[in-house]
Amino acid sequence: MKEFIIIGAGQSGLSMAYNLSNNNKDYLVLDANEHIGAPWLKRWDSLTLFTPTEYNHLPGMKFPFPKGYYPNKYEVAEYLKSYVEQFKIPIEFNQKVTSVKKVNGIFEVITGSSQYQAKQVIVATGPFHTPYTPPCHLDIADNVTQLHSENYKNPSQLQDGDCLVVGAGDSGVQILSEIAETGRTVHFSGTDKIAAIPQTFLGKTLWWWFSKIGFLSVSRYSKVGKWLSKGVQPVIGTDVKSLLAKDNVIHMGRTLSADESHITFQKGSVSSIKNIIWATGFKPNFFWIDGISFDEMNYPSNYRGVSSDVEGLYFIGLPWLYTRGSATLGGVYKDAEYLMTHILDVKAA
């Protein structure tokens, strides 16, 4: 039996592992993937971070690129791999956790092939679990290529013909821009009232300004934090106005329905679409954890990562766990430090 089990070997799980190691705790990390950085490598090929190098450091190890550089997904994955090697973090891969239950004061952690026990459990699986695709996708003709953004890599996956990109978030806008650059006609489904902000302003990075005005440290429990956390997140680094003004980009409004021959939008029906990218986000899934309650977004009830329901159960890496930076590569360390302090204080009490 371990003192701690961490579920998930992404940046949040590794940040907690670093803190546990520094406090000589007996722990093990379980991860569903085959290797470190796999979730990053699964994303589209041209993906780069919105945050420059100086805002991407995990505790104890700087991100090894010059200040002002925006790393790509391969560089992030390599950094995480180096982090594990540097701190000799114990990880068992290919262990997708299917159940966590506390029995007689001990957590039983079940995977597809193994069973573990621990006195305490830290869930670091992040917010992106189940890809969401609107129900109308089932009504679309079989000869139309459909990909969720989770599985989109680059335009070479698409067949000849028009494309539809659904979703007005960062992923949808970036993928729309990339496909539009190929010259093919791209229909866009989503609001055209997209709040967009540049990566740099007056010679400084966006994140420099965020740090100066305190945006990254605003608590979700403050009035400002409550307003920010419930609002629509702006698209960062893409000139959305210019993108939607391109001759080969056609804005259709929301997707309403579909059948074998047409897809119907707020602004009309289209029969020429041969490819669809659903950049429609993900739904959280924490229902495999026994004995917990959920908030209005189906995230586990907690205060700063401490479970509201089960003693010894913790969460890290969720969006707005405490601040805007809670789910970012360079911001998760603050939540990890808080949880470590809480754990030590509980033991000392």
Side-chain angles (χ1 to χ4, degrees), residues 67-293:
K67 181 179 179 180
Y69 177 76
Y70 292 88
N72 61 43
K73 68 172 189 176
Y74 305 102
E75 292 161 340
V76 175
E78 186 60 33
Y79 172 63
L80 298 180
K81 179 182 177 182
S82 298
Y83 194 86
V84 170
E85 294 171 350
Q86 173 73 24
F87 298 110
K88 298 179 174 57
I89 295 174
I91 303 174
E92 290 191 12
F93 293 104
N94 297 309
Q95 296 294 336
K96 181 177 176 61
V97 175
T98 58
S99 174
V100 172
K101 187 175 184 178
K102 195 173 185 181
V103 180
N104 297 324
I106 301 298
F107 286 96
E108 295 182 353
V109 181
I110 310 298
T111 72
S113 60
S114 302
Q115 180 171 330
Y116 303 83
Q117 289 186 323
K119 295 178 181 178
Q120 301 183 71
V121 169
I122 302 166
V123 180
T125 54
F128 305 127
H129 300 144
T130 306
Y132 172 73
T133 306
C136 68
H137 83 277
L138 297 171
D139 302 321
I140 295 169
D142 291 340
N143 63 355
V144 175
T145 298
Q146 297 191 61
L147 295 170
H148 190 272
S149 58
E150 180 186 44
N151 300 311
Y152 171 81
K153 299 295 185 183
N154 56 60
S156 70
Q157 294 171 284
L158 308 180
Q159 61 179 316
D160 290 341
D162 292 1
C163 184
L164 167 66
V165 177
V166 184
D170 275 309
S171 296
V173 169
Q174 286 192 29
I175 292 170
L176 174 67
S177 179
E178 180 172 82
I179 296 174
E181 288 295 322
T182 68
R184 76 170 72 215
T185 297
V186 190
H187 296 81
F188 169 62
S189 177
T191 180
D192 59 354
K193 294 179 175 61
I194 303 173
I197 48 181
Q199 284 183 309
T200 60
F201 180 69
L202 296 178
K204 299 290 186 180
T205 70
L206 175 66
W207 295 89
W208 184 91
W209 288 106
F210 279 174
S211 298
K212 288 299 180 183
I213 65 176
F215 176 71
L216 298 179
S217 58
V218 173
S219 163
R220 67 172 293 183
Y221 301 102
S222 67
K223 287 184 179 180
V224 174
K226 289 177 181 178
W227 177 72
L228 289 172
S229 63
K230 297 184 184 301
V232 177
Q233 298 300 313
V235 169
I236 299 173
T238 301
D239 184 348
V240 176
K241 185 176 180 180
S242 295
L243 174 61
L244 296 183
K246 287 178 176 287
D247 291 339
N248 63 322
V249 175
I250 304 172
H251 180 244
M252 301 301 301
R254 289 193 305 111
T255 304
L256 301 179
S257 63
D259 57 34
E260 288 286 324
S261 58
H262 292 80
I263 301 175
T264 301
F265 307 91
Q266 286 177 310
K267 298 184 179 182
S269 296
V270 180
S271 61
S272 61
I273 293 169
K274 300 299 181 185
N275 308 276
I276 302 175
I277 309 298
W278 298 101
T280 42
F282 297 78
K283 299 291 185 182
N285 176 15
F286 292 93
F287 298 107
W288 43 274
I289 304 173
D290 184 64
I292 64 172
S293 59

